[in-house]
Every structure is written in structure tokens, then in C-alpha cells.
């Protein structure tokens, strides 16, 4: 079994093309039409789906296409694009599996890039999914958790292969947000699933590379956020000049904590350790403005 740590975007890597294919509307339409017709999704020569790290590695001023947004399709109202099963305040953790939970072990790893091919550190990734029976835990936080990319832009998630529920193919939900930037709400899909061809929301551009690994599976996927710039702030950096108010970088906040910043009040939505760049107005996934 190979290591489940992401492969460095500047070091040895899985075989792939020099550039990822475009993810424009025309490509998405063609891919979905091909899947609906029963054709195989276009893959690279090794049978894997192209990763953003391959394009980033060979970049000479190239711009990466952003990871597409994906609507869940079973939203109760149009403004709840994450679907009806999202819950705020997920725990900070990279392992979503509780002892004794049934299911096929799955490790998902990858990187988060900006459009300019630069890996992004400190990106918030909030994952949630169905359990082995296809049910979402709305009473607690089973198979829910958030994490932050490391200094190289890498992430690793340990979970199980999600079960199926009526009307949908197999998928994992995720919200991704670079510090101070908009939230991307999307989903990750599994290749070879029979329901991929009938799910109205399925997007081949969001397919992971998945392979068997011992008694479980390993998957890879690289996000590309619609932002440019260098790596985000290092979470280990000491606080710099403290802003006005009670919020401060370098502190551990729990869900429900209240702070002030810039003359406004904010309520913490998810437990986290704060850092420069994650001031409450910049990170709506972590802080909610209150009167």
C-alpha cells in the first residue's frame, strides 16, 4: 500500500499529461453527453484523470481552469446550494471514521492551487458525506469535518466510500475557501459508478482518481480556486499587530465563541486556531456577523 500523503506538486508524481484539459462549459457538456451515452470518460494514457499538479508543474505562465461549482440538485431553496444536509460547526479533523463504523476505507489526498498554478496554504476544506447506508447524520457530526491545507497546499482526508441514496450517484461534498476569498461549494465523484450517467448533477470534471489499496481505496483530486496569488499565511506564524477588538491571531476558538473586530460582533461557526488573514470579515465560513 502506498503512502496516503499527497505527492509533492514539484517532486515525483503520478504519470500525467503536461496540462489539464479545459473545464469550460463546452467540455462539461461533451463529457456529460459521453457519459449519458455510455462512453468512457476521456482519461490520460495511464488510465488516470488529469490532475492540476501536472499542469502546474509544467507551467510557463499558464492559467489553470478553476474547479467547477456544483449544485446538489435536491436543494429545498435556491440559495442553499450546498444541499439540505450541510451543517456548520463541523469538528476540526482529517479522519472522519469513528470506531466500528462500517464501510470501505477511503483516503482522499491532493492539493489546492490558485489559477496561477501556485499551491495555496491555509485553505479551509469542509467535507461531509453519507455513511455506508447512504444516510447523513443530522443529529451529530459523523462523517463531517474540516481541515486546512498545509504549507505546500496539501490535504489528506480519511473516510469511507459513501453509500448511495435515492436520486444521486456516489459523492462527497466539500466547501473550499482561501483566506478572505469566496467559498467554493462542490462535490467529488467516483469513476465507473452506474448512476453517474443518470445523475442530473454529476460533472465529469469533478471525478477523482480512485484505485484499490489493500482492503480499501485511495483517491486523488486537486482543487483550483478562482483566485491568484502566493501561498496563504503560515498558521505557525506568531500574531502580528493585533487589530482593534477582542479577536486575535494565534488563538483557539470554539463554535459559539463571540468576538469583536473592526467595530462589529461575530459568532464562531467552526472550531479553529485563528491566524493573520482569517479576520472575521474575511472568513464567513468561520465567523457570522451579529448585531
Amino acid at each position: 500500500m502506498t503512502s496516503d500523503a499527497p505527492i509533492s506538486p514539484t517532486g515525483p508524481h503520478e504519470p500525467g499529461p503536461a496540462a489539464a484539459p479545459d473545464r469550460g462549459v463546452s467540455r462539461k457538456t461533451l463529457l456529460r453527453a459521453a457519459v449519458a451515452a455510455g462512453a468512457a470518460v476521456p482519461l490520460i494514457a495511464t488510465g488516470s484523470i488529469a490532475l492540476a499538479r501536472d499542469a502546474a508543474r509544467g507551467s510557463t505562465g499558464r492559467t489553470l481552469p478553476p474547479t467547477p461549482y456544483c449544485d446538489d440538485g435536491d436543494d429545498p431553496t435556491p440559495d442553499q446550494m450546498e444541499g439540505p444536509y450541510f451543517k456548520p460547526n463541523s469538528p476540526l479533523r482529517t479522519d472522519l471514521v469513528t470506531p466500528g463504523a462500517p464501510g470501505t476505507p477511503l483516503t482522499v489526498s491532493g492539493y489546492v492551487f490558485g489559477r496561477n498554478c501556485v499551491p495555496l496554504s491555509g485553505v479551509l476544506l469542509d467535507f461531509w458525506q453519507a455513511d455506508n447506508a447512504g444516510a447523513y447524520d443530522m443529529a451529530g457530526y459523523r462523517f463531517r469535518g474540516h481541515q486546512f491545507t498545509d504549507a505546500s497546499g496539501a490535504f489528506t482526508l480519511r473516510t469511507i466510500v459513501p453509500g448511495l441514496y435515492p436520486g444521486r450517484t456516489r459523492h462527497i461534498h466539500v466547501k473550499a475557501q482561501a483566506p478572505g476569498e469566496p467559498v467554493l461549494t462542490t462535490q467529488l465523484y467516483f469513476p465507473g459508478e452506474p448512476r453517474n450517467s443518470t445523475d442530473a448533477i454529476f460533472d465529469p470534471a469533478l471525478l477523482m482518481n480512485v484505485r484499490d489499496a489493500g482492503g480499501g481505496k485511495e483517491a486523488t483530486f486537486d482543487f483550483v480556486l478562482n483566485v491568484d496569488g502566493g501561498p496563504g499565511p503560515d498558521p505557525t506564524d506568531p500574531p502580528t499587530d493585533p487589530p482593534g477588538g477582542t479577536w486575535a491571531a494565534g488563538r483557539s476558538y470554539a463554535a459559539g465563541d463571540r468576538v469583536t473586530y473592526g467595530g462589529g460582533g461575530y459568532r464562531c461557526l467552526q472550531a479553529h486556531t485563528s491566524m493573520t488573514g482569517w479576520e472575521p470579515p474575511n472568513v464567513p465560513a468561520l465567523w457570522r456577523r451579529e448585531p
Side-chain angles (χ1 to χ4, degrees), residues 148-263:
F148 299 94
T149 56
D150 65 16
S152 67
F155 73 92
T156 298
L157 175 72
R158 293 178 178 84
T159 182
I160 64 167
V161 175
L164 293 166
Y165 67 87
R168 292 303 318 277
T169 190
R170 211 177 301 274
H171 62 280
I172 296 174
H173 294 269
V174 59
K175 287 180 178 286
Q177 183 186 30
E181 300 292 344
V183 178
L184 167 71
T185 302
T186 192
Q187 299 174 45
L188 303 179
Y189 295 100
F190 295 76
E193 288 290 327
R195 292 192 187 182
N196 286 351
S197 61
T198 58
D199 190 318
I201 308 305
F202 169 75
D203 186 345
L206 294 166
L207 281 168
M208 298 182 288
N209 287 315
V210 182
R211 65 179 180 180
D212 294 332
K217 293 183 179 293
E218 292 180 343
T220 53
F221 188 87
D222 293 342
F223 295 93
V224 179
L225 300 186
N226 197 23
V227 300
D228 280 334
D234 186 345
T236 63
D237 286 346
T240 53
D241 297 334
T246 59
W247 181 91
R251 291 187 182 175
S252 295
Y253 289 104
D257 287 351
R258 190 178 188 280
V259 300
T260 58
Y261 182 88

Side-chain angles (χ1 to χ4, degrees), residues 13 15 31 56 88 98 125 127 154 171 190 192 198 202 240 247 264 274 286:
H13 62 287
L31 285 173
T98 55
L125 295 170
F127 295 95
H171 62 280
F190 295 76
T198 58
F202 169 75
T240 53
W247 181 91
S274 61
L286 296 179

Side-chain angles (χ1 to χ4, degrees), residues 40-283:
V41 174
L43 305 175
I44 63 179
T46 59
S48 297
I49 298 162
L51 294 170
R53 71 192 72 168
D54 298 304
R57 185 178 298 105
S59 174
T60 54
R62 178 182 174 84
T63 299
L64 293 172
T67 297
Y69 170 88
C70 191
D71 186 347
D72 189 51
D74 50 2
D75 310 315
T77 56
D79 61 346
Q80 294 182 330
M81 295 301 188
E82 70 270 1
Y85 303 120
F86 173 72
K87 289 179 59 177
N89 308 328
S90 70
L92 175 64
R93 60 186 179 188
T94 59
D95 191 339
L96 307 186
V97 183
T98 55
T104 301
L106 170 69
T107 298
V108 182
S109 62
Y111 291 88
V112 180
F113 292 90
R115 292 169 308 196
N116 57 345
C117 303
V118 176
L120 302 174
S121 65
V123 173
L124 171 65
L125 295 170
D126 195 348
F127 295 95
W128 71 102
Q129 66 171 76
D131 63 16
N132 188 57
Y136 287 82
D137 180 14
M138 299 304 294
Y141 289 91
R142 290 183 301 113
F143 297 108
R144 300 176 183 270
H146 72 276
Q147 59 179 279
F148 299 94
T149 56
D150 65 16
S152 67
F155 73 92
T156 298
L157 175 72
R158 293 178 178 84
T159 182
I160 64 167
V161 175
L164 293 166
Y165 67 87
R168 292 303 318 277
T169 190
R170 211 177 301 274
H171 62 280
I172 296 174
H173 294 269
V174 59
K175 287 180 178 286
Q177 183 186 30
E181 300 292 344
V183 178
L184 167 71
T185 302
T186 192
Q187 299 174 45
L188 303 179
Y189 295 100
F190 295 76
E193 288 290 327
R195 292 192 187 182
N196 286 351
S197 61
T198 58
D199 190 318
I201 308 305
F202 169 75
D203 186 345
L206 294 166
L207 281 168
M208 298 182 288
N209 287 315
V210 182
R211 65 179 180 180
D212 294 332
K217 293 183 179 293
E218 292 180 343
T220 53
F221 188 87
D222 293 342
F223 295 93
V224 179
L225 300 186
N226 197 23
V227 300
D228 280 334
D234 186 345
T236 63
D237 286 346
T240 53
D241 297 334
T246 59
W247 181 91
R251 291 187 182 175
S252 295
Y253 289 104
D257 287 351
R258 190 178 188 280
V259 300
T260 58
Y261 182 88
Y266 296 86
R267 183 75 63 180
C268 180
L269 298 178
Q270 302 193 61
H272 67 283
T273 298
S274 61
M275 66 181 190
T276 302
W278 290 355
E279 293 82 1
N282 296 336
V283 197

